[in-house]
Amino acid sequence: MKITNARRITQVFFWVLFVWFCVVSSIGEKIWQLRGWPVNWFLQLDPLAALGVLLATHTLYWGLLWGAATIILTFFLGRFFCGWICPMGSLQQFVGYLGQRGLPVAAKILRSRYHGAQQIKYWLLLFLLAAASADFFHFLFSGPFHRPGLFVFVFCLLAAMLWIISERSKVKATAFFAGIVAMGMVLYRWSPQTHWLTSSLQIGLLDPLVFIQRAANLVLLPIADAPLRITSAIPRFYQGAGLMGMLFILVLALCVRIPRFYCRFICPLGALFGLLSRWALFRIGKSEDRCKACRQCEAHCEGACAPSRVIRTAECVLCLNCMDRCRHGLMTYAAQSSAAGEQAAPDLKRRHVVTAIAMGLAAAPVMRLNGSLSNHWNPALIRPPGALSEAAFLSRCIKCGQCMRVCPTNVIHPATWQAGVEGFWTPVLNYRIGTSGCQHNCVACSHICPTAALRPLSVDERMGRNQYAAKGALRMGMAFVDHGRCLPWAMDTPCIVCQENCPVSPKAIYTRIEYRTIRDGRHLLQSISGDRMVLAGGGWKFDTLAGGDYFLQWADRPPVAIAGNADRAITLAAMPEKAQWPKPGDSIQVAVRLQKPYVDPHRCIGCGICEHECPVQGRRAIRVSAENESRHAGHRLIIER
């Protein structure tokens, strides 16, 4: 079997496995639903995500150690992950193949030539890693006294990264490393007083595995499953999904013109593999330097690594098309250098490296100048249960959309501008779009999160039961009644939907009864006969005052319930004693009983069921705000008792 056929079979296998893991990321007991499947495995294979979380949090999560295996294999095999496993790369390669079918060899060579703009992905990699490691110097100089083992590990990792960068940027490793450490010492001494230097994990915006995971979870599967109803009983919707879909389509459309466009120009994970593949034991190259210049290998090269000439090893994605197309058998994959020579691309310039790192270090401080993590926090930003404090949450969330996909009620959505630039596409709760609020017995989102941005919860901990009773229930926010839109408060219309649907026991929403004379509800009594009173005015439609919410009042007597009505005649549910009857000519008021809702801040947990069920369309009359959330002590409205 040809080696390219083996690659295609492998790509199809991992693509089907990726789709399967996306499908089964839904709550249920069926075989195509979540039943212990390792749905985060592709994200855990991603060393860039693991590295970003490590630099931002100074913590290494065991699930992300799969990324170390990917790195080790890269040192042996080169960029095998890009060419054989990555679902994003496989999809691009397939689209690029369709776009090049029928083209002459010269046109294929033109599309597959190397372009200097392919260095952009390395700048993006440096920018993202610098943004994630901005406050690393605090850990670097204080770590030895607290966690010496982790300090040594991360220190060696940073030294290796700087050495790799110095090798590629033509700067002496010792001078580059000494400069970084000296700058770190200055920033470490200055930043604690100014609170300037801080980390921001933005790798998930461009990481290819996160990119396609997000597109599959929030765009492709909702569209495909809408008529099938396999993973969800009703169609699922996500705010901001249109932008994600357009970006995904744009990437694929560019691949029609330039094969593997995203891999070549944007992919920071590919850039990381490109830096590491320089030391790969096995590599693509020529066994002899006697090429006939047919350039068939270049016509089908997926990475634009110029295999017919001095090969750019960092750009080779191991598609192995050159081996398959070479008519003279000169292209090999072996533990030896290419006979025609190798170029240790990319040839990064010193100013490019310094600029990318400096912009990354400044990214978080610039994004936080609006005070979003201080007193100017957005109360509309409601995080899912188990979310860490906002700064810690932003240093862990990779924006993969796994929590949004697994949510059974479809209330977790990607943030747009309510979370600011830094929190773009991170999970927030939107109680209007889903089928209900956040269900009390559900902690699925906290267990599927691959980086513990949502820490794993038990139902007992979330609801404050058993051993967690002293702490109380976990609060995501608190509901507030808008008196200007609430039917009982603003429109004299009976409604207790929010109180009836409040799932907290005892209920967090309670009501206070008030009787209000309706508009044109004052009339003179014309006659009375048993339980039937005829008024001088009225003009109501038949039984519009029935239902138990309308009453008659006269003098200082308690209100009497109305059982039914005609044009001007009203039938009472029960007549008082005859001595308390009104007399013809007395003033009678038709009143409505209003049960006005109030929220108990000690009991409301911000589940949003009241907001979802509120009958007021558009802007709900009761809305949940992040105030009083448990994850931030400064946002609380109550004093714990």
Side-chain angles (χ1 to χ4, degrees), residues 388-451:
L388 305 178
S389 63
E390 191 64 14
F393 178 84
L394 292 175
S395 68
R396 286 165 170 78
C397 180
I398 59 174
K399 309 173 177 62
C400 61
Q402 289 288 78
C403 57
M404 309 170 201
R405 172 66 189 162
V406 79
C407 179
T409 57
N410 193 203
V411 297
I412 306 180
H413 295 263
T416 50
W417 300 114
Q418 68 267 44
V421 176
E422 187 177 8
F424 204 75
W425 286 342
T426 55
V428 295
L429 296 180
N430 186 328
Y431 297 121
R432 288 191 55 198
I433 297 182
T435 59
S436 178
C438 186
Q439 295 297 314
H440 290 189
N441 61 346
C442 179
V443 289
C445 59
S446 69
H447 286 271
I448 203 172
C449 180
T451 61

Side-chain angles (χ1 to χ4, degrees), residues 48 51 55 75 119 121-131 133 137 155-180 183 268 271-279 344-358 360-361:
L48 181 58
L51 181 58
L55 293 175
F75 280 126
Q119 291 190 11
K121 60 179 177 290
Y122 298 97
W123 305 341
L124 292 174
L125 173 66
L126 295 177
F127 171 85
L128 294 173
L129 290 180
S133 60
F137 296 108
F155 184 87
C156 294
L157 179 63
L158 180 64
M161 289 173 52
L162 294 176
W163 183 73
I164 292 173
I165 295 172
S166 67
E167 286 286 300
R168 294 311 181 94
S169 60
K170 295 184 177 180
V171 185
K172 290 183 178 181
T174 53
F176 193 83
F177 185 73
I180 290 291
M183 181 183 67
L272 178 62
F273 287 137
L275 292 174
L276 298 177
S277 63
R278 175 180 180 181
W279 296 277
D347 184 15
L348 299 179
K349 300 298 187 293
R350 183 186 311 173
R351 62 180 179 273
H352 296 159
V353 173
V354 173
T355 301
I357 293 176
L361 292 174

